[in-house]
Amino acid sequence: MGTISEKKLKRREFLGVAGAGLAAGAAIGFGAGRLVTQPGGQGTGELDKLALQRGLEPEEARSALRIFNPGGKYLDEFIMISSGGHSGQAIILGIPSMRILKYIAVYTPDPWQGYGYGNVESREILKKGSSDVRLLTGGDTHHPDISRTNAEWDGEWACIGDKLSARMAIISFKDFATKEIVRMPNMGSQHGGAHFTPNSEYVACGSFFPTPWEPGKGYKPGSTYIQLTEKNYADFYRGQNIYLAFDRSRGRFDLTRSFQVELPPYVQDLEAVGWGPSDGWTFMNSINTERAIGGVMEGRPALEVAASQRDFDYLHIINWKKAEQLVKDGKAKEMNGIKVVTLDTAVKEGILFFAPEPKSPHGCDISPSGRYVLVGGKLAPVVTAYDVEKIKQNIVDQRFEGTDPYGVPILRFEEVKAAQVEVGLGPLHNEFDDAGHGHVSCFIANEVVRYNLGPPDYTGSNTFTVIDRIKIQYNIGHLATTESGTASPKGKYLVALNKWSIDRFPNVGPLLPQNLQLIDISGEKMQLLYDLPIGLGEPHYAKMISIDKLKPLEVYAVGTDPATFTVSPNAIRKGQERIERHQVGGTWVSEIWGTLLRSTMAPDIIRVKQGDLVRIHWTNVETVRDATHGFGIADYNVMGKIDPGEVATYEFLADKPGVFYYYCTEFCSPLHMEMTGWLEVAPA
Ligand code: RUQ
Ligand code: CUA
């Protein structure tokens, strides 16, 4: 074709390049009237041309303008904390720009952040967060949450769970760094999520795989053994839901005030902790209520077949306030360092109830009013809405259809259901906006589906009806809307966290990035704005908080120990540097107190003897923002950073003689290349 293709013509018409379209303001739908076309109609049409040159459709060009954030401007309205999946990290992004601002090392060492490479503070965090089996240096982060005041996020702390080894981590939003990891007792793995109670008294989290469970003794990783048979599984394996007591002033968990509820050996899945009418209650999904154990090579059907037989599993309903009172009344049993409300006690005292739920469900989310629990059917193409008021009334009235094999009362489905919304194939997670809508990810249909909630969340007609849907590329697992999971979501944006991304990006080999897609949810029709490849582990879940709720530090006050945000006992001032050698037990310790200031590492010569334990306390005495210094020693696997004002300790055994270089790894000044030193290890 000699001239312009039809498609291009159409686009040119739309862009207003053809004909009279270039006249003032009429040019292109993407606001370029203001940018390039001057009043009076004398436009250059430069943006139009650029869009054409790059083959961009008008909507694509418009989307680019809607989210583009030039350097130096602060146009982002939200900060998103996303899990980094099997990278063991958390990801911080700006929304709507979708720019990645930080990876936070949580369960996995990271040399840039000085996490796990000789740095003592982070080593202690990883050590404390390990099990008795061994030091754990990997994790599978799934679900973050943010600390709450009156059920609203206050932006002080975040927590994020490790699915792999049942751990919970606390991150401070003062410095976006991990402060503590705890290994949750009696649990083998977790997938309930991480959920702050409305005033951050506890973080609730449920187990995934049931653990072998010695009655009265519980489970200890690395020692409890009960042979895996179908009978033993039913009789001597158990799930758990934990309430980790949280000390918000220190940002630490307190196991002595924490408690657990023992659950039947179903595979417990995601949960939610309520507010408003659901305050005091936890709702939690389950799969495999068939109690299948697998055994394809032992003559049994595959687990996924045997575990999907029944049309209903059980929504677990836990009265956690009552459980807390039972613990205070001394009715819990101590097992492996935590108080456990046993299954028998939970049944007897009215702590635990079930409601049938179709069918191997996944996400469990509470509507902004606190009135509805929305369950994504996964194998059933419906979102089931449970009415919390009905649940509570039926419990008061003791209206049950029977009990499960462990005596747990089962509510009648029809009595507690508010509605079922037919959404499509593979519904997983529900997130909400400020206009009474739910948005559910449909994994098989590759869609986000929007529906109306019921009153008081949505008071119009057509309650619990699908009103819009948008295609996603591809296989959306999870999604996040702004401040969903609180009483007042903000609307505007939705991020789809997709598990597949085939054909979205240039091929960089068989391991493909995951794909995040930004969607505008402010209008009647949802609109796709942007794709963001994430070259890290799978982002299972994310939370988006209004940026003005965060009050991060700019620098640490000089001499700060970031673990506690107080003055470190090892803080020194410039001129107070010193080296000491002393014996602890049978070991010689060379202990160094040094300072970092552009462009000197003092000391710049450290002489020790082979076999010494070398302990270096660096105080970065800078007071200027961004004056971070790095630290790395050749051949000793020591690496890290020391932020302005920070005191950080690095430790290693100098077991090989030689003369080793160390240097600042951050290009911090014109004389950065000179910011170096020597470590001399004299042969023993
Ligand atoms: S969430 S299995 Cu739907 Cu943890 Cu990813
Ligand atoms: Cu300090 Cu480079």
Side-chain angles (χ1 to χ4, degrees), residues 37-60:
T37 307
Q38 302 306 314
Q42 294 309 308
T44 64
E46 224 178 298
L47 288 187
D48 305 23
K49 268 191 237 151
L50 195 55
L52 272 176
Q53 264 170 22
R54 300 206 65 212
L56 297 180
E57 300 292 334
E59 286 83 70
E60 292 166 347

Side-chain angles (χ1 to χ4, degrees), residues 193-469:
H195 303 275
F196 279 103
T197 53
N199 282 299
S200 304
E201 304 92 337
Y202 298 97
V203 170
C205 175
S207 61
F208 190 69
F209 298 102
T211 51
W213 188 266
E214 284 187 60
K217 284 194 177 155
Y219 167 72
K220 214 168 160 18
S223 68
T224 308
Y225 171 76
I226 294 169
Q227 197 192 15
L228 181 63
T229 64
E230 282 171 307
K231 178 151 190 355
N232 281 350
Y233 187 83
D235 293 346
F236 298 112
Y237 280 59
R238 291 293 181 264
Q240 305 83 23
N241 200 40
I242 197 169
Y243 295 85
L244 279 166
F246 182 59
D247 175 349
R248 69 178 304 145
S249 62
R250 293 170 50 242
R252 296 293 186 276
F253 293 117
D254 180 356
L255 281 180
T256 65
R257 291 190 298 114
S258 304
F259 64 93
Q260 242 168 6
V261 180
E262 178 190 335
L263 302 171
Y266 310 135
V267 174
Q268 279 79 24
D269 203 7
L270 281 140
E271 69 186 279
V273 175
W275 56 85
S278 50
D279 190 16
W281 297 85
T282 299
F283 305 91
M284 177 187 225
N285 288 337
S286 63
I287 57 176
N288 194 11
T289 49
E290 294 84 353
R291 293 174 290 170
I293 64 167
V296 271
M297 297 188 51
E298 298 176 5
R300 283 186 294 274
L303 183 82
E304 82 269 22
V305 176
S308 320
Q309 301 298 305
R310 309 179 63 211
D311 286 332
F312 285 96
D313 290 286
Y314 297 128
L315 176 70
H316 292 36
I317 300 158
I318 301 172
N319 187 336
W320 72 260
K321 284 254 170 85
K322 203 166 172 188
E324 181 191 43
Q325 192 53 49
L326 280 186
V327 173
K328 286 186 181 148
D329 295 344
K331 291 190 182 153
K333 187 154 175 40
E334 174 113 13
M335 299 182 204
N336 299 309
I338 191 165
K339 308 226 173 38
V340 180
V341 176
T342 63
L343 184 51
D344 288 347
T345 307
V347 169
K348 201 167 66 202
E349 301 278 349
I351 301 289
L352 177 64
F353 305 91
F354 290 154
E357 55 179 2
K359 170 188 180 172
S360 305
H362 187 58
C364 180
D365 298 284
I366 294 177
S367 73
S369 69
R371 171 80 180 262
Y372 301 104
V373 179
L374 288 303
V375 170
K378 198 172 78 184
L379 301 190
V382 292
V383 168
T384 303
Y386 295 85
D387 186 333
V388 170
E389 299 292 5
K390 289 185 182 173
I391 288 175
K392 290 195 293 191
Q393 194 56 50
N394 275 269
I395 289 174
V396 170
D397 299 345
Q398 302 271 299
R399 288 165 64 85
F400 304 118
E401 66 173 40
T403 65
D404 86 329
Y406 304 89
V408 181
I410 305 169
L411 294 155
R412 290 176 212 273
F413 184 59
E414 292 301 329
E415 295 281 342
V416 295
K417 179 189 81 173
Q420 273 186 315
V421 195
E422 302 265 349
V423 291
L425 292 181
L428 297 182
H429 296 274
N430 288 275
E431 293 268 290
F432 310 99
D433 66 8
D434 55 342
H437 304 128
H439 301 79
V440 63
S441 53
C442 290
F443 179 77
I444 302 172
N446 294 325
E447 283 182 329
V448 171
V449 177
R450 171 191 277 181
Y451 57 90
N452 295 331
L453 290 162
D457 292 288
Y458 177 82
T459 47
S461 51
N462 296 327
T463 56
F464 296 109
T465 310
V466 170
I467 53 167
D468 192 23
R469 48 181 78 232

Side-chain angles (χ1 to χ4, degrees), residues 120-121 568 570-572 578 591-595 602-603 615-620 647-651:
V120 168
E121 292 81 4
S568 163
N570 292 308
I572 57 166
R578 66 186 197 277
E591 195 155 8
I592 296 103
W593 287 264
T595 57
R615 191 178 293 148
I616 309 175
H617 311 284
W618 289 118
T619 302
N620 181 338
V647 179
T649 298
Y650 288 81
E651 195 180 89

Side-chain angles (χ1 to χ4, degrees), residues 628-630 664 666-668 672 675:
T628 293
H629 296 291
C664 166
E666 291 265 340
F667 204 109
C668 57
H672 152 78
M675 195 167 177

